[in-house]
Amino acid sequence: MKIMIMDGQGGGVGRSLVEEIRVKYPDAELIAVGTNATATSNMMKGGTALGATGENAVIYNSSRVDAIVGPVGIVAANAMLGEITPKMAQAVASSNAKILLIPMNRCHVQVMGVESKKLGDYIKEAVDQL
């Protein structure tokens, strides 16, 4: 399975996802795709040798993976303080990959009916769904 982990800002959520996925699916091919170099670098420190940064990396990889995992903002244009471009959001949202989103309150998108949990619980739940 080829899994794209996407994050922005400092890449902390993405790094946690990489670490959890690496443990549960050691044979999966993971690619860290960050909206900026810091996010990509931090995710790669979590245990993946493949990483790419920026809008084109998101567009290119979204159509070449089996699953995409990241904060809910990755499908919302201008989320993460503007780091998610409309083209990035469109590429992720229109991908044929399984898309698993971590609810976050910091990206101007709130999903009604989602119970309030710790970030680690959401990450574990997403990894289990892979």
Side-chain angles (χ1 to χ4, degrees), residues 2-11 13-15 17-18 30-44 48-65 67-71 74 80 83-84 88 91-92:
K2 193 172 191 177
I3 304 166
M4 178 175 122
I5 300 92
M6 184 177 164
D7 200 2
Q9 305 276 293
V13 173
R15 181 175 180 164
L17 284 164
V18 168
L30 305 183
I31 181 164
V33 179
T35 61
N36 62 67
T38 301
T40 303
S41 175
N42 199 16
M43 288 189 283
M44 291 181 71
T48 181
L50 298 174
T53 302
E55 183 178 80
N56 196 62
V58 172
I59 294 167
Y60 178 82
N61 288 293
S62 291
S63 65
R64 290 169 173 77
V65 295
I68 300 171
V69 188
I74 65 175
M80 295 185 194
E83 287 189 21
I84 304 297
M88 287 177 175
V92 172

Side-chain angles (χ1 to χ4, degrees), residues 1-3 21 25 27-30 65-67 98 130:
M1 180 172 13
K2 193 172 191 177
I3 304 166
I21 295 168
Y25 305 102
D27 295 329
E29 182 180 347
L30 305 183
V65 295
D66 301 305
K98 182 174 192 171
L130 283 171

